[in-house]
Coordinates of all heavy atoms in Angstrom, one line a residue:
M24 N -92.5 6.1 -31.1 CA -91.1 6.1 -30.5 C -90.9 4.7 -29.8 O -89.9 4.1 -30.0 CB -90.9 7.2 -29.6 CG -89.5 7.3 -29.0 SD -88.4 7.7 -30.3 CE -86.9 7.7 -29.4
A25 N -91.9 4.2 -29.1 CA -91.7 2.9 -28.3 C -91.6 1.8 -29.4 O -90.8 0.8 -29.1 CB -92.9 2.7 -27.5
V26 N -92.3 1.8 -30.5 CA -92.2 0.8 -31.4 C -90.8 0.7 -32.1 O -90.2 -0.3 -32.2 CB -93.3 1.0 -32.6 CG1 -93.1 -0.1 -33.7 CG2 -94.7 0.8 -31.9
R27 N -90.3 1.9 -32.3 CA -89.0 2.0 -33.0 C -87.9 1.4 -31.9 O -87.1 0.7 -32.4 CB -88.6 3.4 -33.3 CG -87.3 3.6 -33.9 CD -87.3 3.0 -35.4 NE -86.0 3.3 -35.9 CZ -85.4 2.5 -36.8 NH1 -86.0 1.4 -37.2 NH2 -84.2 2.8 -37.3
A28 N -88.0 1.7 -30.6 CA -87.1 1.2 -29.7 C -87.2 -0.3 -29.6 O -86.2 -0.9 -29.5 CB -87.4 2.0 -28.3
R29 N -88.4 -0.8 -29.7 CA -88.6 -2.2 -29.6 C -88.0 -2.9 -30.9 O -87.4 -4.0 -30.7 CB -90.1 -2.6 -29.5 CG -90.3 -4.0 -29.4 CD -91.8 -4.4 -29.2 NE -92.2 -3.9 -27.8 CZ -93.3 -3.4 -27.5 NH1 -94.2 -3.2 -28.3 NH2 -93.5 -3.0 -26.3
E30 N -88.1 -2.3 -32.0 CA -87.5 -2.9 -33.2 C -86.0 -2.9 -33.2 O -85.3 -3.8 -33.6 CB -87.9 -2.0 -34.5 CG -89.3 -2.2 -34.8 CD -89.7 -1.2 -35.9 OE1 -88.8 -0.4 -36.4 OE2 -90.9 -1.1 -36.2
L31 N -85.4 -1.9 -32.5 CA -83.9 -1.8 -32.4 C -83.3 -2.8 -31.3 O -82.2 -2.9 -31.3 CB -83.5 -0.4 -32.1 CG -83.8 0.6 -33.2 CD1 -83.3 1.9 -32.8 CD2 -82.9 0.1 -34.5
G32 N -84.2 -3.3 -30.4 CA -83.7 -4.2 -29.5 C -83.5 -3.4 -28.1 O -83.7 -2.2 -28.0
R33 N -82.9 -4.1 -27.1 CA -82.9 -3.5 -25.8 C -81.4 -2.9 -25.6 O -81.2 -2.5 -24.5 CB -83.1 -4.5 -24.7 CG -84.6 -4.9 -24.6 CD -84.9 -5.8 -23.5 NE -83.7 -6.6 -23.0 CZ -83.6 -7.3 -22.0 NH1 -84.6 -7.3 -21.1 NH2 -82.5 -8.0 -21.7
F34 N -80.6 -3.1 -26.5 CA -79.3 -2.6 -26.3 C -79.2 -1.1 -26.0 O -79.7 -0.3 -26.8 CB -78.4 -2.9 -27.5 CG -76.9 -2.5 -27.3 CD1 -76.0 -3.1 -26.5 CD2 -76.4 -1.3 -28.0 CE1 -74.8 -2.8 -26.3 CE2 -75.2 -0.9 -27.8 CZ -74.3 -1.5 -27.0
S35 N -78.6 -0.7 -24.9 CA -78.5 0.8 -24.5 C -77.1 1.1 -24.2 O -76.8 1.6 -23.2 CB -79.5 0.9 -23.4 OG -79.0 0.1 -22.3
G36 N -76.1 0.6 -25.0 CA -74.7 1.0 -24.7 C -74.3 2.1 -25.5 O -75.0 2.6 -26.4
A37 N -73.2 2.7 -25.1 CA -72.6 3.9 -25.8 C -71.8 3.4 -26.9 O -71.3 2.2 -27.0 CB -71.7 4.6 -24.8
G38 N -71.8 4.1 -28.0 CA -71.0 3.9 -29.2 C -71.7 3.0 -30.2 O -73.0 3.0 -30.2
E39 N -71.1 2.3 -31.0 CA -71.6 1.6 -32.1 C -72.3 0.2 -31.5 O -71.9 -0.3 -30.6 CB -70.5 1.1 -33.1 CG -71.2 0.5 -34.3 CD -70.0 0.2 -35.3 OE1 -69.1 1.0 -35.4 OE2 -70.2 -0.8 -36.1
R40 N -73.4 0.0 -32.2 CA -74.2 -1.2 -31.7 C -73.4 -2.5 -32.2 O -72.8 -2.6 -33.2 CB -75.6 -1.2 -32.4 CG -76.4 -0.1 -32.0 CD -77.6 0.0 -32.8 NE -78.5 -1.2 -32.5 CZ -79.3 -1.3 -31.5 NH1 -79.3 -0.3 -30.4 NH2 -80.0 -2.3 -31.2
P41 N -73.4 -3.6 -31.4 CA -72.8 -4.7 -31.7 C -73.4 -5.5 -32.9 O -74.7 -5.3 -33.1 CB -72.9 -5.7 -30.4 CG -74.1 -5.1 -29.7 CD -74.1 -3.6 -30.0
R42 N -72.7 -6.2 -33.7 CA -73.2 -6.9 -34.8 C -73.1 -8.5 -34.6 O -72.2 -8.9 -33.9 CB -72.4 -6.6 -36.0 CG -72.7 -5.3 -36.6 CD -72.1 -5.1 -38.0 NE -72.4 -3.8 -38.6 CZ -73.5 -3.7 -39.3 NH1 -74.4 -4.6 -39.5 NH2 -73.8 -2.5 -39.8
C43 N -74.2 -9.1 -35.0 CA -74.3 -10.6 -34.9 C -73.1 -11.2 -35.8 O -73.0 -10.8 -36.9 CB -75.5 -11.1 -35.3 SG -75.6 -13.0 -35.4
P44 N -72.2 -12.1 -35.2 CA -71.1 -12.6 -36.1 C -71.7 -13.5 -37.2 O -71.0 -13.8 -38.1 CB -70.3 -13.4 -35.0 CG -71.1 -13.5 -33.8 CD -72.2 -12.4 -33.8
R45 N -72.9 -14.2 -37.0 CA -73.4 -15.0 -38.0 C -74.1 -14.2 -39.1 O -73.8 -14.5 -40.3 CB -74.4 -16.0 -37.3 CG -75.0 -17.0 -38.3 CD -76.0 -17.9 -37.7 NE -75.4 -18.7 -36.7 CZ -76.1 -19.3 -35.6 NH1 -77.4 -19.1 -35.6 NH2 -75.5 -20.1 -34.8
C46 N -75.1 -13.3 -38.9 CA -75.9 -12.7 -39.9 C -75.6 -11.2 -40.1 O -76.2 -10.6 -40.9 CB -77.3 -13.0 -39.6 SG -78.0 -12.1 -38.2
Q47 N -74.7 -10.7 -39.2 CA -74.3 -9.2 -39.3 C -75.4 -8.4 -39.0 O -75.4 -7.1 -39.2 CB -73.7 -8.9 -40.7 CG -72.5 -9.7 -41.0 CD -71.4 -9.5 -40.0 OE1 -71.1 -8.4 -39.5 NE2 -70.8 -10.6 -39.6
S48 N -76.5 -8.7 -38.3 CA -77.6 -7.9 -38.0 C -77.2 -7.1 -36.7 O -76.5 -7.5 -35.9 CB -78.8 -8.8 -37.5 OG -79.8 -8.0 -37.0
V49 N -77.8 -5.9 -36.7 CA -77.5 -5.1 -35.5 C -78.7 -5.1 -34.5 O -78.7 -4.4 -33.5 CB -77.3 -3.5 -35.9 CG1 -76.0 -3.5 -36.6 CG2 -78.5 -3.0 -36.6
V50 N -79.8 -5.9 -34.8 CA -80.8 -6.0 -33.9 C -80.5 -7.1 -33.0 O -80.8 -8.3 -33.1 CB -82.2 -6.3 -34.8 CG1 -83.3 -6.5 -33.8 CG2 -82.4 -5.4 -35.8
V51 N -79.9 -6.7 -31.8 CA -79.5 -7.6 -30.8 C -80.1 -7.2 -29.5 O -80.3 -6.0 -29.2 CB -77.9 -7.8 -30.8 CG1 -77.4 -8.3 -32.0 CG2 -77.3 -6.4 -30.5
W52 N -80.2 -8.2 -28.6 CA -80.6 -7.9 -27.3 C -79.6 -8.3 -26.2 O -78.9 -9.3 -26.5 CB -81.9 -8.8 -27.0 CG -83.0 -8.5 -27.8 CD1 -83.2 -8.7 -29.2 CD2 -84.3 -7.8 -27.5 NE1 -84.3 -8.3 -29.7 CE2 -85.0 -7.7 -28.7 CE3 -84.7 -7.3 -26.4 CZ2 -86.3 -7.1 -28.7 CZ3 -86.0 -6.7 -26.4 CH2 -86.8 -6.6 -27.6
R53 N -79.6 -7.6 -25.1 CA -78.6 -8.1 -24.0 C -79.2 -9.5 -23.5 O -80.4 -9.6 -23.4 CB -78.5 -7.1 -23.0 CG -77.7 -5.9 -23.4 CD -77.4 -4.9 -22.4 NE -78.7 -4.2 -22.2 CZ -79.1 -3.5 -21.1 NH1 -78.3 -3.5 -20.1 NH2 -80.3 -3.0 -21.0
C54 N -78.3 -10.4 -23.2 CA -78.9 -11.8 -22.8 C -78.1 -12.3 -21.7 O -77.5 -13.4 -21.7 CB -78.8 -12.6 -24.1 SG -79.5 -14.2 -23.7
G55 N -78.0 -11.5 -20.6 CA -77.2 -12.0 -19.4 C -75.8 -11.9 -19.5 O -75.1 -11.2 -20.4
I56 N -75.1 -12.5 -18.5 CA -73.7 -12.5 -18.3 C -73.1 -13.8 -18.5 O -73.7 -14.8 -17.9 CB -73.3 -11.9 -17.0 CG1 -74.0 -10.5 -16.8 CG2 -71.9 -11.8 -16.7 CD1 -73.4 -9.4 -17.6
S57 N -71.9 -14.0 -19.2 CA -71.4 -15.3 -19.2 C -70.7 -15.7 -17.9 O -70.6 -14.9 -17.0 CB -70.4 -15.4 -20.4 OG -69.2 -14.6 -20.0
R58 N -70.3 -17.0 -17.8 CA -69.6 -17.3 -16.6 C -68.3 -16.6 -16.4 O -67.7 -16.6 -15.3 CB -69.4 -19.0 -16.6 CG -70.6 -19.7 -16.4 CD -70.4 -21.1 -16.3 NE -69.6 -21.3 -15.0 CZ -69.0 -22.5 -14.7 NH1 -69.1 -23.5 -15.6 NH2 -68.4 -22.6 -13.6
A59 N -67.7 -16.1 -17.4 CA -66.4 -15.4 -17.4 C -66.7 -13.9 -17.0 O -65.8 -13.1 -17.0 CB -65.7 -15.5 -18.7
G60 N -68.0 -13.5 -16.9 CA -68.3 -12.2 -16.5 C -68.5 -11.2 -17.7 O -68.5 -10.0 -17.4
K61 N -68.6 -11.7 -18.9 CA -68.8 -10.8 -20.1 C -70.2 -10.7 -20.4 O -71.0 -11.7 -20.3 CB -67.9 -11.4 -21.2 CG -66.5 -11.4 -21.0 CD -65.7 -12.0 -22.2 CE -64.2 -11.9 -21.9 NZ -63.5 -12.4 -23.2
Q62 N -70.5 -9.6 -21.0 CA -72.0 -9.3 -21.4 C -72.3 -10.2 -22.6 O -71.5 -10.2 -23.6 CB -72.2 -7.9 -21.7 CG -73.5 -7.6 -22.3 CD -74.6 -7.7 -21.2 OE1 -74.6 -7.0 -20.2 NE2 -75.7 -8.5 -21.6
Q63 N -73.4 -11.0 -22.6 CA -73.8 -11.8 -23.7 C -75.0 -11.0 -24.4 O -75.7 -10.2 -23.9 CB -74.4 -13.1 -23.2 CG -73.4 -14.0 -22.6 CD -73.9 -15.4 -22.2 OE1 -75.0 -15.4 -21.7 NE2 -73.2 -16.4 -22.5
Y64 N -75.0 -11.3 -25.8 CA -76.1 -10.7 -26.6 C -76.7 -11.8 -27.3 O -76.1 -12.9 -27.7 CB -75.4 -9.7 -27.6 CG -74.7 -8.5 -26.9 CD1 -73.3 -8.5 -26.6 CD2 -75.5 -7.4 -26.5 CE1 -72.7 -7.5 -26.1 CE2 -74.9 -6.4 -25.9 CZ -73.5 -6.5 -25.7 OH -72.9 -5.4 -24.9
R65 N -78.0 -11.6 -27.7 CA -78.8 -12.6 -28.6 C -79.2 -11.8 -29.8 O -79.8 -10.8 -29.7 CB -80.0 -13.2 -27.9 CG -80.7 -14.1 -28.7 CD -82.0 -14.7 -27.9 NE -81.6 -15.5 -26.8 CZ -81.3 -16.8 -26.8 NH1 -81.3 -17.4 -27.8 NH2 -81.0 -17.3 -25.6
C66 N -79.0 -12.4 -31.0 CA -79.4 -11.8 -32.2 C -80.9 -12.1 -32.4 O -81.4 -13.2 -32.2 CB -78.7 -12.4 -33.4 SG -79.2 -11.8 -35.0
K67 N -81.7 -11.1 -32.6 CA -83.1 -11.2 -32.8 C -83.4 -11.9 -34.1 O -84.4 -12.6 -34.3 CB -83.8 -9.9 -32.8 CG -85.3 -9.9 -32.9 CD -85.9 -9.1 -31.9 CE -87.4 -9.3 -32.1 NZ -88.1 -8.6 -31.0
G68 N -82.5 -11.8 -35.2 CA -82.7 -12.4 -36.5 C -82.5 -13.9 -36.5 O -83.4 -14.7 -36.9
C69 N -81.3 -14.3 -36.1 CA -80.9 -15.7 -36.1 C -81.0 -16.5 -34.8 O -80.8 -17.7 -34.8 CB -79.6 -15.9 -36.9 SG -78.3 -15.3 -35.9
G70 N -81.1 -15.7 -33.7 CA -81.1 -16.3 -32.5 C -79.8 -16.7 -31.8 O -79.7 -17.3 -30.7
R71 N -78.6 -16.4 -32.4 CA -77.3 -16.7 -31.9 C -77.0 -15.9 -30.7 O -77.3 -14.7 -30.5 CB -76.3 -16.5 -33.0 CG -74.9 -16.8 -32.4 CD -73.9 -16.9 -33.4 NE -72.5 -17.1 -32.8 CZ -71.4 -17.3 -33.5 NH1 -71.5 -17.4 -34.8 NH2 -70.3 -17.6 -32.9
V72 N -76.4 -16.5 -29.7 CA -76.0 -15.9 -28.4 C -74.4 -15.7 -28.5 O -73.7 -16.7 -29.0 CB -76.3 -16.7 -27.2 CG1 -75.8 -16.0 -26.0 CG2 -77.8 -16.8 -27.1
F73 N -73.9 -14.5 -28.3 CA -72.5 -14.2 -28.5 C -72.0 -13.2 -27.5 O -72.8 -12.5 -26.8 CB -72.2 -13.8 -30.0 CG -72.9 -12.5 -30.3 CD1 -72.2 -11.3 -30.3 CD2 -74.3 -12.5 -30.8 CE1 -72.8 -10.1 -30.6 CE2 -74.8 -11.3 -31.2 CZ -74.1 -10.1 -31.1
V74 N -70.7 -13.0 -27.4 CA -70.1 -12.0 -26.6 C -69.2 -11.2 -27.6 O -68.9 -11.7 -28.7 CB -69.2 -12.5 -25.5 CG1 -70.0 -13.2 -24.4 CG2 -68.1 -13.4 -26.0
L75 N -69.0 -10.0 -27.2 CA -68.1 -9.1 -28.1 C -66.6 -9.5 -28.2 O -66.1 -9.4 -29.3 CB -68.3 -7.6 -27.6 CG -69.7 -7.1 -27.8 CD1 -69.6 -5.6 -27.4 CD2 -70.2 -7.1 -29.2
S76 N -66.1 -9.9 -27.1 CA -64.7 -10.3 -27.2 C -64.5 -11.7 -26.6 O -64.2 -11.8 -25.4 CB -63.9 -9.3 -26.3 OG -64.3 -9.2 -25.0
P77 N -64.7 -12.7 -27.4 CA -64.7 -14.0 -26.9 C -63.4 -14.7 -26.7 O -63.2 -15.8 -26.1 CB -65.5 -14.9 -27.9 CG -65.2 -14.1 -29.2 CD -65.0 -12.6 -28.7
Y78 N -62.3 -14.0 -27.1 CA -61.0 -14.6 -27.1 C -60.4 -14.8 -25.7 O -60.6 -13.9 -24.8 CB -60.0 -13.7 -28.0 CG -60.6 -13.6 -29.4 CD1 -61.3 -12.4 -29.8 CD2 -60.7 -14.7 -30.2 CE1 -61.8 -12.4 -31.0 CE2 -61.2 -14.6 -31.4 CZ -61.8 -13.5 -31.8 OH -62.3 -13.4 -33.1
L79 N -59.6 -15.8 -25.5 CA -59.0 -16.1 -24.3 C -57.7 -15.3 -24.1 O -57.0 -15.1 -25.1 CB -58.6 -17.6 -24.3 CG -59.8 -18.5 -24.4 CD1 -59.2 -20.0 -24.5 CD2 -60.8 -18.5 -23.3
D80 N -57.4 -15.0 -22.9 CA -56.1 -14.3 -22.8 C -55.0 -15.4 -22.8 O -55.2 -16.6 -22.5 CB -56.0 -13.5 -21.4 CG -56.3 -14.2 -20.3 OD1 -56.7 -15.4 -20.3 OD2 -56.1 -13.6 -19.1
E81 N -53.8 -15.0 -23.0 CA -52.7 -16.0 -23.2 C -52.4 -16.8 -21.8 O -52.0 -17.9 -21.9 CB -51.4 -15.3 -23.6 CG -51.5 -14.7 -25.1 CD -51.8 -15.7 -26.1 OE1 -51.2 -16.8 -26.0 OE2 -52.7 -15.5 -26.9
L82 N -52.6 -16.1 -20.7 CA -52.3 -16.7 -19.5 C -53.2 -18.0 -19.3 O -52.8 -19.0 -18.8 CB -52.4 -15.8 -18.3 CG -52.0 -16.3 -16.9 CD1 -50.6 -16.8 -16.9 CD2 -52.2 -15.3 -15.8
A83 N -54.5 -17.7 -19.6 CA -55.5 -18.8 -19.4 C -55.3 -20.0 -20.4 O -55.3 -21.1 -20.0 CB -56.9 -18.2 -19.6
K84 N -54.8 -19.6 -21.6 CA -54.6 -20.6 -22.6 C -53.4 -21.5 -22.1 O -53.3 -22.7 -22.2 CB -54.2 -20.0 -23.9 CG -55.4 -19.6 -24.8 CD -54.9 -19.2 -26.1 CE -55.9 -18.5 -26.9 NZ -55.5 -18.0 -28.2
E85 N -52.3 -20.8 -21.7 CA -51.1 -21.5 -21.2 C -51.4 -22.3 -20.0 O -50.9 -23.6 -20.0 CB -50.1 -20.5 -20.8 CG -48.8 -21.1 -20.4 CD -47.7 -20.0 -20.0 OE1 -47.8 -18.8 -20.5 OE2 -46.9 -20.3 -19.2
L86 N -52.2 -21.9 -19.0 CA -52.5 -22.7 -17.9 C -53.3 -24.0 -18.3 O -53.0 -25.1 -17.9 CB -53.2 -21.9 -16.9 CG -53.6 -22.5 -15.6 CD1 -52.4 -23.1 -14.9 CD2 -54.4 -21.6 -14.7
A87 N -54.3 -23.8 -19.1 CA -55.1 -24.8 -19.7 C -54.3 -25.8 -20.3 O -54.4 -27.1 -20.1 CB -56.3 -24.4 -20.5
E88 N -53.5 -25.4 -21.3 CA -52.6 -26.4 -22.0 C -51.6 -27.2 -21.1 O -51.4 -28.4 -21.3 CB -51.7 -25.6 -23.1 CG -52.6 -25.2 -24.2 CD -51.8 -24.5 -25.3 OE1 -50.6 -24.4 -25.2 OE2 -52.5 -23.9 -26.3
R89 N -51.2 -26.5 -20.1 CA -50.3 -27.2 -19.2 C -51.1 -28.3 -18.3 O -50.6 -29.5 -18.2 CB -49.7 -26.2 -18.1 CG -48.6 -25.4 -18.8 CD -48.0 -24.4 -17.8 NE -47.5 -24.9 -16.5 CZ -47.3 -24.3 -15.5 NH1 -47.5 -23.0 -15.4 NH2 -46.9 -24.9 -14.4
M90 N -52.3 -28.0 -18.0 CA -53.2 -29.0 -17.4 C -53.5 -30.1 -18.4 O -53.5 -31.3 -17.9 CB -54.4 -28.4 -16.9 CG -54.1 -27.6 -15.6 SD -55.6 -27.1 -14.8 CE -56.1 -25.7 -15.7
I91 N -53.6 -29.9 -19.7 CA -54.1 -30.8 -20.6 C -52.8 -31.8 -20.8 O -52.9 -33.1 -20.8 CB -54.4 -30.3 -22.0 CG1 -55.8 -29.6 -21.9 CG2 -54.4 -31.3 -23.0 CD1 -56.1 -28.7 -23.0
K92 N -51.6 -31.2 -20.9 CA -50.4 -32.0 -21.0 C -50.1 -32.9 -19.8 O -49.5 -33.9 -19.9 CB -49.2 -31.1 -21.3 CG -49.3 -30.5 -22.7 CD -48.1 -29.5 -22.9 CE -48.2 -28.9 -24.3 NZ -47.1 -27.9 -24.5
E93 N -50.6 -32.4 -18.6 CA -50.4 -33.2 -17.4 C -51.4 -34.4 -17.3 O -51.5 -35.0 -16.3 CB -50.4 -32.3 -16.2 CG -49.2 -31.3 -16.1 CD -47.9 -32.1 -15.7 OE1 -47.9 -33.1 -15.0 OE2 -46.8 -31.7 -16.2
K94 N -52.3 -34.3 -18.3 CA -53.4 -35.4 -18.3 C -54.4 -35.2 -17.2 O -54.8 -36.2 -16.6 CB -52.8 -36.8 -18.4 CG -52.0 -36.9 -19.7 CD -51.6 -38.4 -19.9 CE -51.0 -38.4 -21.3 NZ -50.0 -39.2 -21.5
I95 N -54.6 -34.0 -16.8 CA -55.7 -33.8 -15.8 C -57.1 -33.9 -16.5 O -57.3 -33.5 -17.7 CB -55.5 -32.4 -15.1 CG1 -54.2 -32.3 -14.5 CG2 -56.7 -32.0 -14.3 CD1 -53.8 -31.0 -13.9
A96 N -58.1 -34.4 -15.9 CA -59.4 -34.7 -16.4 C -60.0 -33.4 -16.9 O -59.9 -32.3 -16.2 CB -60.3 -35.4 -15.4
V97 N -60.8 -33.4 -17.9 CA -61.4 -32.3 -18.5 C -62.4 -31.6 -17.5 O -62.4 -30.4 -17.4 CB -62.1 -32.7 -19.8 CG1 -62.9 -31.4 -20.3 CG2 -61.1 -33.0 -20.8
P98 N -63.3 -32.3 -16.8 CA -64.1 -31.7 -15.7 C -63.3 -30.8 -14.7 O -63.8 -29.9 -14.3 CB -65.0 -32.8 -15.2 CG -65.0 -33.9 -16.2 CD -63.6 -33.8 -16.9
V99 N -62.2 -31.4 -14.3 CA -61.4 -30.6 -13.3 C -60.8 -29.4 -13.9 O -60.9 -28.3 -13.3 CB -60.2 -31.6 -12.9 CG1 -59.3 -30.9 -12.0 CG2 -60.8 -32.8 -12.1
I100 N -60.4 -29.4 -15.2 CA -59.8 -28.3 -15.8 C -60.9 -27.2 -16.0 O -60.8 -26.0 -15.6 CB -59.3 -28.6 -17.2 CG1 -58.1 -29.6 -17.2 CG2 -58.9 -27.3 -17.9 CD1 -57.6 -30.2 -18.5
V101 N -62.2 -27.6 -16.4 CA -63.3 -26.7 -16.5 C -63.6 -26.0 -15.1 O -63.8 -24.8 -15.0 CB -64.6 -27.4 -17.1 CG1 -65.8 -26.5 -17.0 CG2 -64.3 -27.8 -18.6
R102 N -63.6 -26.9 -14.1 CA -63.9 -26.3 -12.8 C -62.8 -25.3 -12.3 O -63.1 -24.3 -11.7 CB -64.0 -27.5 -11.7 CG -64.6 -27.0 -10.4 CD -65.0 -28.3 -9.6 NE -63.9 -29.1 -9.3 CZ -64.0 -30.4 -9.8 NH1 -65.0 -30.8 -10.4 NH2 -62.9 -31.2 -9.6
V103 N -61.6 -25.7 -12.5 CA -60.4 -24.9 -12.1 C -60.5 -23.5 -12.8 O -60.2 -22.5 -12.3 CB -59.0 -25.5 -12.3 CG1 -57.9 -24.6 -12.1 CG2 -58.9 -26.7 -11.3
M104 N -60.7 -23.6 -14.1 CA -60.7 -22.4 -15.1 C -61.9 -21.5 -14.8 O -62.0 -20.3 -15.3 CB -60.6 -22.7 -16.5 CG -59.3 -23.4 -16.9 SD -57.8 -22.6 -16.3 CE -57.8 -21.1 -17.3
D105 N -62.9 -22.0 -14.0 CA -64.2 -21.2 -13.6 C -64.8 -20.5 -14.7 O -65.0 -19.2 -14.6 CB -63.7 -20.3 -12.4 CG -64.9 -19.7 -11.8 OD1 -66.0 -20.4 -11.7 OD2 -64.8 -18.6 -11.2
G106 N -65.0 -21.1 -15.8 CA -65.8 -20.5 -17.0 C -65.0 -19.7 -17.9 O -65.6 -19.1 -18.9
H107 N -63.7 -19.5 -17.8 CA -62.8 -18.8 -18.7 C -62.6 -19.6 -19.9 O -62.2 -19.0 -21.0 CB -61.6 -18.3 -18.0 CG -61.8 -17.3 -17.0 ND1 -62.0 -16.0 -17.3 CD2 -61.9 -17.4 -15.7 CE1 -62.3 -15.3 -16.2 NE2 -62.2 -16.1 -15.2
I108 N -62.6 -21.0 -19.8 CA -62.3 -21.9 -21.0 C -63.5 -22.9 -21.0 O -63.9 -23.4 -20.0 CB -61.0 -22.5 -20.8 CG1 -59.9 -21.5 -21.0 CG2 -60.8 -23.6 -21.9 CD1 -58.5 -22.0 -21.0
S109 N -64.1 -23.0 -22.2 CA -65.2 -24.0 -22.4 C -64.6 -25.4 -22.5 O -63.6 -25.6 -23.0 CB -65.9 -23.6 -23.6 OG -65.1 -23.9 -24.8
R110 N -65.5 -26.3 -22.2 CA -65.3 -27.7 -22.3 C -64.9 -28.0 -23.8 O -64.0 -28.8 -24.0 CB -66.5 -28.5 -21.9 CG -66.3 -29.9 -21.8 CD -67.6 -30.6 -21.3 NE -68.0 -30.2 -19.9 CZ -67.7 -30.7 -18.8 NH1 -67.0 -31.8 -18.9 NH2 -68.0 -30.3 -17.7
R111 N -65.7 -27.4 -24.7 CA -65.5 -27.6 -26.2 C -64.0 -27.3 -26.5 O -63.3 -27.9 -27.3 CB -66.5 -26.8 -26.9 CG -66.4 -27.0 -28.4 CD -67.5 -26.2 -29.0 NE -67.5 -26.4 -30.4 CZ -68.4 -25.7 -31.2 NH1 -69.3 -24.8 -30.8 NH2 -68.3 -25.9 -32.6
W112 N -63.6 -26.1 -26.1 CA -62.3 -25.6 -26.4 C -61.1 -26.6 -25.9 O -60.2 -26.9 -26.6 CB -61.9 -24.2 -25.8 CG -60.6 -23.7 -26.2 CD1 -60.4 -23.0 -27.3 CD2 -59.4 -23.9 -25.6 NE1 -59.0 -22.6 -27.3 CE2 -58.4 -23.2 -26.2 CE3 -59.0 -24.5 -24.4 CZ2 -57.0 -23.2 -25.8 CZ3 -57.7 -24.5 -24.0 CH2 -56.7 -23.8 -24.7
I113 N -61.4 -27.2 -24.6 CA -60.5 -28.0 -24.0 C -60.3 -29.4 -24.9 O -59.3 -29.9 -25.1 CB -60.8 -28.4 -22.6 CG1 -60.7 -27.1 -21.8 CG2 -60.0 -29.4 -22.0 CD1 -61.3 -27.2 -20.4
Y114 N -61.5 -29.9 -25.2 CA -61.5 -31.2 -26.0 C -60.8 -30.9 -27.4 O -60.1 -31.8 -27.8 CB -62.9 -31.8 -26.2 CG -63.3 -32.6 -25.1 CD1 -64.5 -32.2 -24.3 CD2 -62.7 -33.7 -24.7 CE1 -64.9 -32.9 -23.2 CE2 -63.1 -34.4 -23.5 CZ -64.2 -34.0 -22.8 OH -64.7 -34.7 -21.8
K115 N -61.1 -29.8 -28.1 CA -60.5 -29.5 -29.3 C -58.9 -29.4 -29.2 O -58.2 -30.0 -29.9 CB -61.1 -28.2 -29.8 CG -60.5 -27.8 -31.2 CD -61.2 -26.5 -31.7 CE -60.5 -26.0 -32.9 NZ -60.9 -24.7 -33.3
R116 N -58.6 -28.6 -28.2 CA -57.1 -28.4 -28.0 C -56.4 -29.8 -27.6 O -55.3 -30.0 -27.9 CB -56.8 -27.4 -26.9 CG -55.4 -27.0 -26.8 CD -54.9 -26.3 -28.0 NE -53.5 -26.1 -27.9 CZ -52.6 -26.3 -28.8 NH1 -53.0 -26.6 -30.0 NH2 -51.3 -26.0 -28.6
K117 N -57.1 -30.5 -26.8 CA -56.6 -31.9 -26.4 C -56.4 -32.7 -27.7 O -55.4 -33.3 -27.7 CB -57.6 -32.5 -25.4 CG -57.1 -33.7 -24.8 CD -58.2 -34.2 -23.8 CE -57.6 -35.4 -23.0 NZ -58.7 -35.9 -22.0
G118 N -57.2 -32.7 -28.6 CA -57.1 -33.5 -29.8 C -55.9 -32.9 -30.7 O -55.2 -33.7 -31.3
E119 N -55.8 -31.6 -30.7 CA -54.6 -31.0 -31.5 C -53.3 -31.4 -30.8 O -52.3 -31.6 -31.5 CB -54.8 -29.4 -31.5 CG -55.9 -28.9 -32.3 CD -56.2 -27.5 -32.1 OE1 -55.6 -26.9 -31.2 OE2 -57.2 -27.0 -32.8
L120 N -53.1 -31.3 -29.5 CA -52.0 -31.6 -28.8 C -51.6 -33.1 -29.0 O -50.5 -33.6 -29.2 CB -52.0 -31.3 -27.3 CG -52.1 -29.9 -27.0 CD1 -52.3 -29.6 -25.6 CD2 -50.8 -29.2 -27.4
H121 N -52.6 -34.0 -29.0 CA -52.4 -35.4 -29.2 C -52.0 -35.7 -30.6 O -51.2 -36.7 -30.8 CB -53.8 -36.2 -28.9 CG -53.7 -37.6 -29.1 ND1 -52.9 -38.4 -28.1 CD2 -54.1 -38.4 -29.9 CE1 -53.0 -39.7 -28.6 NE2 -53.8 -39.8 -29.6
A122 N -52.4 -34.9 -31.6 CA -52.0 -35.2 -32.9 C -50.5 -34.7 -33.3 O -50.0 -35.2 -34.2 CB -53.0 -34.4 -33.9
E123 N -50.0 -33.9 -32.5 CA -48.7 -33.4 -32.6 C -47.7 -34.4 -32.3 O -47.6 -35.3 -31.8 CB -48.4 -32.1 -31.8 CG -49.1 -31.0 -32.3 CD -49.0 -29.7 -31.4 OE1 -48.2 -29.8 -30.4 OE2 -49.6 -28.6 -31.8

């Protein structure tokens, strides 16, 4: 029984097991909490770390876009958003807004 539990990973949540978005494996381990307070998982097969609902809420997006349009520095935006928006997302959105 212990070997089987080890093969399945440490996930002990109710309902369906989470799947890795890269390889679709269900052999995942809990891997801490993100800065936004969401449970992170690590795929045992490919090593990817992911959260189940990574999408930003509309209020956070709107606030970040307003700060980008006001030309506030990226490190300041990251600090103000306190982990709800990544530096990568900000730079990507900044490029999209500049192209418009």
Side-chain angles (χ1 to χ4, degrees):
M24 183 72 179
V26 174
R27 181 71 178 148
R29 184 172 289 142
E30 290 172 5
L31 292 176
R33 294 186 329 170
F34 180 72
S35 61
E39 189 174 327
R40 298 175 62 83
R42 289 190 172 273
C43 173
R45 183 183 293 158
C46 68
Q47 300 301 313
S48 173
V49 294
V50 184
V51 297
W52 299 70
R53 288 181 288 160
C54 183
I56 304 291
S57 71
R58 289 188 64 192
K61 295 182 180 183
Q62 178 67 58
Q63 291 180 320
Y64 299 95
R65 179 182 299 274
C66 177
K67 184 134 180 170
C69 67
R71 176 166 179 173
V72 176
F73 62 96
V74 294
L75 293 180
S76 57
Y78 304 105
L79 303 170
D80 61 349
E81 292 303 315
L82 183 61
K84 281 184 190 179
E85 182 182 330
L86 181 59
E88 286 182 5
R89 286 176 56 197
M90 287 191 280
I91 291 168
K92 288 178 184 175
E93 292 291 327
K94 298 188 172 146
I95 296 174
V97 174
V99 174
I100 297 173
V101 171
R102 191 170 54 245
V103 168
M104 296 308 294
D105 193 31
H107 290 282
I108 291 183
S109 69
R110 185 178 304 266
R111 182 178 182 182
W112 184 90
I113 294 168
Y114 278 116
K115 181 181 174 187
R116 188 65 186 137
K117 192 174 182 180
E119 290 170 356
L120 289 174
H121 181 69
E123 290 177 359

